[in-house]
Amino acid sequence: MTKNMLITNCQHSFNQLIGEFYLSRNYNVIFHFDNERSKQAYENDLFNSDSSPEKYMLINNNDIDFNSLEKDIDVITDYFGPIDILIHGNEMLDETKYFLEDPIGLEQKIENLFERIYLFNRVVTSRMVKAKKGKVIFPLIFDVLYFAGYPSSPILNNGKISLMKCMSHELSAFKVNVNAITLGYFDNDFDLATKKELKKKLEIFALKPRLMPLQELIPALNMLVEPPVTTIGGENIHIGAGIETVI
């Protein structure tokens, strides 16, 4: 049976790539945006691709609250049926930029983003609990990459991991699995000289490490979307070069 996947923050290309990967695997994919302009631009891209229009839906909601999100999920359910997988798309937040421009504003930004996460969890997982099935996944970018200029947010990461652990503890009884996946260094559209220098630094982690494009790392999500066993929950799986060993 075809599964239904909802991905948030699809105004960012990283989350769009996740959706495209699962469209290619015959999932029904709902791309959720927070602004109409990004939605329209991506809609044109999808329309001109090989994707089947009946397999995806694009929704914009730039002022999310409980009632508006309930309506969004009702629209999705009426068209595709219940949501099987909720992926909290990465916000690609540049903490350095926000902190330098407005330190107090960064605090408010983080608070607003967690409120959005809470609302998606409240609306979507309440239905998963009733159905006694579902998966919730947080794709993250490793904390230390924040210092290397990647769009990594240690504040968001640590909050999400704590939330994921708590959710997994509470929802496992209802057969809803909650996990995270953390990506290490990847080829962030570097030029050849930058990539070569970075790979030298990364040899403390692995000999001649491979820096793969994001779209080549995304299939790793399948360990959680289509897990080999059904009881994986409360895990943060690390993928790629440049992630410290955790004992």
Side-chain angles (χ1 to χ4, degrees):
M1 188 175 79
T2 302
K3 300 283 188 177
N4 302 322
M5 174 181 288
L6 170 62
I7 306 172
T8 69
N9 293 311
C10 284
Q11 61 275 8
H12 299 294
S13 60
F14 174 38
N15 306 316
Q16 295 169 7
L17 290 171
I18 294 173
E20 290 165 13
F21 174 73
Y22 282 98
L23 278 176
S24 72
R25 294 182 68 85
N26 203 37
Y27 279 69
N28 296 323
V29 179
I30 302 94
F31 298 84
H32 201 283
F33 294 77
D34 72 356
N35 70 85
E36 184 63 27
R37 185 174 180 179
S38 295
K39 172 181 171 287
Q40 290 293 338
Y42 189 58
E43 192 166 26
N44 293 334
D45 290 342
L46 271 184
F47 183 78
N48 293 319
S49 70
D50 294 331
S51 302
S52 302
E54 69 275 6
K55 300 295 293 180
Y56 63 81
M57 177 185 293
L58 280 70
I59 291 181
N60 175 61
N61 188 337
N62 58 350
D63 191 21
I64 289 177
D65 59 21
F66 178 76
N67 291 329
S68 68
L69 196 53
E70 279 275 13
K71 291 177 182 176
D72 288 347
I73 304 306
D74 285 340
V75 169
I76 294 165
T77 304
D78 289 344
Y79 189 79
F80 284 128
I83 293 167
D84 299 293
I85 304 110
L86 168 61
I87 294 185
H88 286 288
N90 197 289
E91 294 84 359
M92 310 304 279
L93 180 66
D94 186 340
E95 280 190 19
T96 302
K97 178 182 176 182
Y98 269 94
F99 182 77
L100 292 175
E101 292 177 354
D102 184 4
I104 297 175
L106 174 61
E107 180 181 350
Q108 186 61 52
K109 178 72 172 177
I110 296 289
E111 184 178 328
N112 292 341
L113 290 175
F114 272 117
E115 183 177 355
R116 287 167 59 92
I117 291 169
Y118 161 74
L119 286 171
F120 273 102
N121 280 333
R122 180 181 174 188
V123 174
V124 177
T125 62
S126 64
R127 304 182 187 213
M128 289 179 173
V129 164
K130 290 178 182 177
K132 290 196 175 179
K133 64 176 182 178
K135 297 180 180 69
V136 181
I137 302 170
F138 295 87
L140 311 176
I141 297 173
F142 194 46
D143 288 6
V144 297
L145 273 63
Y146 159 78
F147 300 104
Y150 285 76
S152 172
S153 172
I155 299 174
L156 277 174
N157 284 355
N158 283 278
K160 287 178 178 179
I161 291 170
S162 296
L163 176 61
M164 175 271 291
K165 296 283 187 182
C166 292
M167 288 177 63
S168 178
H169 179 75
E170 296 295 329
L171 296 178
S172 62
F174 303 97
K175 299 182 181 178
V176 177
N177 295 342
V178 189
N179 294 283
I181 188 165
T182 297
L183 304 182
Y185 285 87
F186 53 87
D187 185 356
N188 199 22
D189 295 325
F190 299 125
D191 58 47
L192 288 176
T194 302
K195 187 174 180 180
K196 184 176 181 180
E197 187 61 29
L198 180 57
K199 289 178 77 170
K200 286 181 182 178
K201 294 178 181 179
L202 289 177
E203 289 205 338
I204 62 172
F205 298 106
L207 183 63
K208 295 184 178 180
R210 295 178 61 197
L211 288 182
M212 301 170 67
L214 263 178
Q215 57 264 38
E216 293 184 24
L217 291 174
I218 283 169
L221 271 169
N222 227 36
M223 287 188 287
L224 299 175
V225 175
E226 300 175 9
V229 294
T230 59
T231 54
I232 296 177
E235 298 296 329
N236 179 20
I237 296 174
H238 287 180
I239 302 294
I243 292 185
E244 300 158 359
T245 302
V246 179
I247 298 178

